[in-house]
Amino acid sequence: MIISMKPHSSPEEIQAVCRRIEDFGYKIHTIEGVERVVIAAIGVGDTSQCLESLEALPQVEKAMRISAPYKFVSREYKNARTRIKVRDFEIGGDEFIMMAGPCSVESEQQIMTSAEAVAKAGARMLRGGAFKPRTSPYDFQGMELEGLKLLRKAGDAMGLGVITEVMSDRDVEMVAQYTDILQIGARNMQNFALLKGLGKAGRPVLLKRGLSSTVKELLMSAEYIVAHGNRDVMLCERGIRTFETITRNTCDIVAVPALQELTHLPVILDPSHATGKRSLVPALCRAGVAIGADGIIVEAHPCPEKAVSDGAQSLTLEQFDKMMRDLGPYLELWRGARVAQELVSA
Ligand code: PEP
Ligand code: MN
C-alpha cells in the first residue's frame, strides 16, 4: 500500500498514521517530499480493512493498494509519465532526447570536438565517462576529476546537459557537482550502497540494466533510489548477456515497452553497448525510436580507431550526424504518437 498524507501534515499526524499501519502488521517506509509525506506499507495483512481504516483518518489524502513489489516506480502508483527536467528540456515528455559522446573522456580536444559535433547534429546531452568500470584492472580507468571538469566545460560551451557514470557511493557528491545526470553502469545496478547513496544526490539518475538482470530486478533497483528520496530516475536497456556472440550483448528491445507498461519512469535505449558494433547502431536507434523509447544514449568519437575504450561500437562524428538526419522522419512519427498518447491519457 501507499499512503499519501495531506500537504503539510504535522509530525504528530504522520506518526499517528504510521502507528495505525503498524497495528495492522505492516512495516513502514516514509519518503519526505517538498509538500507531502508518502508512506509505503510493506508486508502482508488485511489490506482492505487497513485501507478503509486509513482513509477514515482526516490527515490521509489517499491510500491505495499496490500489488507490484516495486511500489513507487509502478504504474499502479502513478499512471502519468515522470518527466525529468534537465536544463531547458524534459526527459519523458514530448521530446525524444538524444544523448551522445565518447565512451570515455580522453582529452580536452577530444571532448570539445565531440560536444560541438553532437550539439550541431541535435543531441541534448553529452555523455563521457570519467570513472570507467573496466573488466581488466590494466585497462584505462578514466580521467576521474579532471575528466569531470572537461566534460562540464564542453557541455557548457555547447549548451548541452552532461551525463557521466558514478561508480562508488563515496563519489556521489563529488560527481554530482559536475554533472546533470548520474549514470549507474550495468555492473553496478545492484550495488545497493550506491543506490541508497543516490537518494539524496540532488541529480537525476540513469540506471542501466545489469548484464544478467531481469526487468523486475531493474525496477527493484530503481525502487531503491526512489525509496531513498530521489524520484528522478530513468531506466536504460543496454543489452543483456545471452548465448549469442555475434553482438557484444543481446538487445532486449521489447524491454522498452514492457518497462513502459510497468513503470512511469522514462526508458532510454543504449544501442552501442547493446550491439558492440558501430555498423548495427543506426538500425537499433531506428528501432528504439519506433518502439517508443524516451531517448537514446549512443557512443560517438572523433576518431574511434584511437579511442581508449569501446572504439568498435563508437560512431564517427560524421556517422552520428548522418544518423541523426536519417532519423528525422522516424522522430516526426515518434512525436505524433507521443502527443496522441498524452491526449488519450489526459
Ligand atoms: C558506458 O556507458 O560506457 C558503460 C560502461 O556502459 P554499461 O554500464 O552499460 O556497460
Ligand atoms: Mn562504453
Side-chain angles (χ1 to χ4, degrees):
M1 279 174 297
I2 299 284
I3 298 92
S4 283
M5 298 295 296
K6 286 200 174 138
H8 313 296
S9 298
S10 70
E12 294 72 33
E13 288 171 327
I14 296 163
Q15 264 302 313
V17 172
C18 289
R19 269 200 304 274
R20 176 89 50 110
I21 299 168
E22 284 170 334
D23 286 347
F24 275 89
Y26 293 95
K27 283 209 177 102
I28 53 158
H29 181 98
T30 54
I31 308 187
E32 283 175 39
V34 189
E35 273 208 334
R36 57 165 65 70
V37 165
V38 279
I39 307 165
I42 292 133
V44 274
D46 188 339
T47 316
S48 305
Q49 257 212 332
C50 184
L51 282 173
E52 218 171 282
S53 155
L54 291 170
E55 269 166 352
L57 295 174
Q59 60 273 40
V60 169
E61 186 169 69
K62 203 158 111 192
M64 60 186 128
R65 182 196 307 262
I66 311 279
S67 53
Y70 40 88
K71 309 277 176 209
F72 293 112
V73 307
S74 72
R75 278 266 187 201
E76 288 173 80
Y77 172 59
K78 179 172 170 263
N79 191 40
R81 289 173 198 280
T82 287
R83 292 169 175 240
I84 300 176
K85 188 149 175 44
V86 180
R87 295 172 71 102
D88 58 340
F89 56 90
E90 272 182 342
I91 302 172
D94 296 344
E95 184 185 357
F96 187 89
I97 300 298
M98 188 58 82
M99 311 182 189
C103 179
S104 303
V105 180
E106 297 167 11
S107 68
E108 177 156 3
Q109 202 198 355
Q110 174 244 21
I111 197 69
M112 278 293 181
T113 311
S114 305
E116 190 179 352
V118 303
K120 231 169 107 193
R124 285 294 210 167
M125 302 272 318
L126 176 66
R127 64 148 289 151
F131 291 88
K132 296 304 300 176
R134 304 307 299 279
T135 302
S136 165
Y138 309 116
D139 284 343
F140 177 70
Q141 303 286 307
M143 289 180 77
E144 304 191 343
L145 183 58
E146 203 192 333
L148 293 177
K149 289 181 180 169
L150 292 176
L151 181 71
R152 180 79 265 169
K153 189 173 165 190
D156 286 349
M158 298 301 153
L160 295 164
V162 301
I163 174 166
T164 198
E165 178 162 355
V166 57
M167 283 170 50
S168 158
D169 53 320
R170 292 188 305 270
D171 296 336
V172 169
E173 217 179 304
M174 188 255 292
V175 179
Q177 276 178 41
Y178 293 94
T179 195
D180 298 297
I181 301 180
L182 292 161
Q183 174 178 326
I184 301 304
R187 290 153 191 83
N188 267 321
M189 189 202 88
Q190 287 188 318
N191 178 340
F192 299 114
L194 176 56
L195 299 179
K196 288 179 193 174
L198 296 165
K200 301 275 175 284
R203 288 279 179 273
V205 174
L206 178 138
L207 177 65
K208 289 189 146 196
R209 180 176 179 182
L211 278 72
S212 305
S213 299
T214 64
V215 161
K216 188 170 154 190
E217 285 163 342
L218 173 61
L219 289 167
M220 293 307 291
S221 289
E223 183 79 6
Y224 259 90
I225 304 170
V226 179
H228 282 82
N230 188 349
R231 289 160 190 257
D232 288 341
V233 179
M234 61 207 93
L235 306 169
C236 178
E237 165 59 37
R238 46 79 71 209
I240 49 174
R241 192 165 276 190
T242 68
F243 53 80
E244 183 55 74
T245 54
I246 207 84
T247 47
R248 180 179 179 183
N249 291 291
T250 297
C251 181
D252 183 9
I253 190 78
V254 81
V256 174
L259 280 165
Q260 287 168 332
E261 247 175 45
L262 298 170
T263 180
H264 49 84
L265 301 177
V267 181
I268 308 295
L269 181 71
D270 174 346
S272 307
H273 294 86
T275 59
K277 277 190 186 158
R278 90 171 56 91
S279 64
L280 299 175
V281 167
L284 193 47
C285 280
R286 290 197 295 278
V289 176
I291 211 160
D294 294 280
I296 280 175
I297 182 163
V298 64
E299 288 183 344
H301 191 287
C303 188
E305 62 276 19
K306 292 211 180 114
V308 297
S309 59
D310 288 349
Q313 67 194 32
S314 300
L315 299 171
T316 64
L317 299 177
E318 296 71 30
Q319 283 169 334
F320 178 71
D321 182 64
K322 177 170 184 326
M323 183 182 84
M324 287 296 279
R325 280 184 281 116
D326 292 346
L327 277 177
Y330 294 83
L331 291 171
E332 276 302 308
L333 291 171
W334 182 95
R335 264 186 291 277
R338 182 56 65 102
V339 170
Q341 279 170 7
E342 297 291 319
L343 285 175
V344 169
S345 60

